[in-house]
Amino acid sequence: MIDIYNRKIDYIRISVTDRCNLRCIYCMPESGISFFSHEMLLTYEEITQLCELFVKTGISKVKITGGEPLVRKDLNKLIKSIKDIDGINNITLTTNGILLEEQLDDLIKSGLDAVNISIDTLREDRYREITRVGEVHKVIRGIYKALKYKNLKVKLNYVPIKGKNEDEIIDIINLTKHKDLSVRFIELMPIGLGKDMAGYSDEEIISIIENKIGKMTPYKGKLGNGPSNYFSLDGYKGKIGFISAVSHKFCENCNRVRLTSDGFLKKCLQYEYGCDLKSMLRSGKSNDEILKIIEETIYNKPKNHHFNKENEKNSETKAMFQIGG
Ligand code: SAM
Ligand code: SF4
């Protein structure tokens, strides 16, 4: 549907859990986290029921995220029931990739169209430093397995952090030289623990790449559902994308809403505005009543975020792993 600011909203990010098998330093504290109980999470049946309503508002693209979505049991079954809904034409997953190798065959059979794999370093010791507990060779095996599926679009997400991993920007790009694999550099956002670290703007990364490899050419084709700005590099098969929500706001082209794992439909990443769909489902509201609320929520999306403004009213207090990125 078209919202109050004339934007077409056709994409939803659905978080299926706030739990994770990693503890990335910019996303999740090492301990002391209070997770949702199993009863607080939407069931797969509830998520599917909501997706049937989202389709009626014009949503056709779904991203499954978390926490780490692959730690939730039988995720492939949810992927299948969403993909089977008439009107859903694209279902994708964002994962840290640790469990990808073992689950990929089932995910593909269920209809997964694309996977974004987050990997902020290729070095084992540094991966352990950034994720506190992970082993990067498992992610790399997942990436190579994903690349064997010709119809699966594969992208890597890389968050450059000052003083941590900027010296690997070229190494990660080199993975795209001979493979149909895109890399997206995500600007660190001031959410949760990310507030205390410094990230990189796309200009800074472009200058690192152009100094080492050569001129980047803006890519005009469409890749994916989101706000990435893509570039090509001569001699490289994959594309290089940038998601810079802070230094280059893309709110005027925003096409998305978010559903948290406890069933809250969020209008915008930065604000806590939205509606509690789980309570509606569990108090026996009819599909028509829920659809009306969903439409009102989407229609009234805020015009833009104000990440740069201190003490912005109604700012989201949840961390990224509780929202889904
Ligand atoms: N666990 C999965 C993963 O890591 O891909 C999915 C959820 S994670 C919250 C989704 C994405 O958000 C990841 O690519 C992660 O790097 C990114 N992310 C988390 N916190 C962030 C922050 N403060 N700023 C920018 N990106 C962040
Ligand atoms: Fe887990 Fe993803 Fe957050 Fe890392 S970024 S802690 S993998 S949810």
Side-chain angles (χ1 to χ4, degrees), residues 179-205:
K179 305 257 180 238
D180 197 4
L181 171 69
S182 299
V183 173
R184 291 141 16 118
F185 292 101
I186 303 182
E187 184 177 27
L188 195 67
M189 285 182 257
I191 293 190
L193 298 173
K195 283 188 186 128
D196 307 326
M197 285 169 216
Y200 279 82
S201 68
D202 46 5
E203 286 81 4
E204 289 174 297
I205 299 167

Side-chain angles (χ1 to χ4, degrees), residues 19-24 26-28 66-68 96 118 321:
R19 291 175 196 249
C20 186
N21 46 0
L22 300 182
R23 293 286 181 275
C24 300
Y26 52 81
C27 178
M28 219 168 180
E68 172 48 39
N96 60 34
S118 303
F321 68 92

Side-chain angles (χ1 to χ4, degrees), residues 15 20 26 42 90 133 142 146-147 157 160 166 187 191 216 222 229 235 250 258 264:
S15 172
C20 186
Y26 52 81
L42 289 181
N90 187 267
V133 286
L147 287 169
N157 286 350
E166 59 273 82
E187 184 177 27
I191 293 190
M216 300 179 79
K222 172 98 184 107
N229 233 342
F250 34 76
R258 293 172 166 83
F264 191 81

Side-chain angles (χ1 to χ4, degrees), residues 17-29 65-69 94-98 118 120 127 130-132 159 320-322 324:
T17 180
D18 57 344
R19 291 175 196 249
C20 186
N21 46 0
L22 300 182
R23 293 286 181 275
C24 300
I25 48 172
Y26 52 81
C27 178
M28 219 168 180
T65 177
E68 172 48 39
T94 295
T95 171
N96 60 34
I98 295 281
S118 303
D120 299 332
Y127 192 75
I130 294 179
T131 67
R132 294 198 185 98
V159 180
M320 209 63 129
F321 68 92
Q322 293 160 322

Side-chain angles (χ1 to χ4, degrees), residues 38-57:
H38 194 66
E39 296 66 46
M40 289 165 86
L41 297 182
L42 289 181
T43 63
Y44 285 171
E45 290 71 25
E46 287 170 330
I47 295 175
T48 308
Q49 182 183 344
L50 289 177
C51 284
E52 281 162 359
L53 299 178
F54 295 141
V55 160
K56 292 187 203 272
T57 72

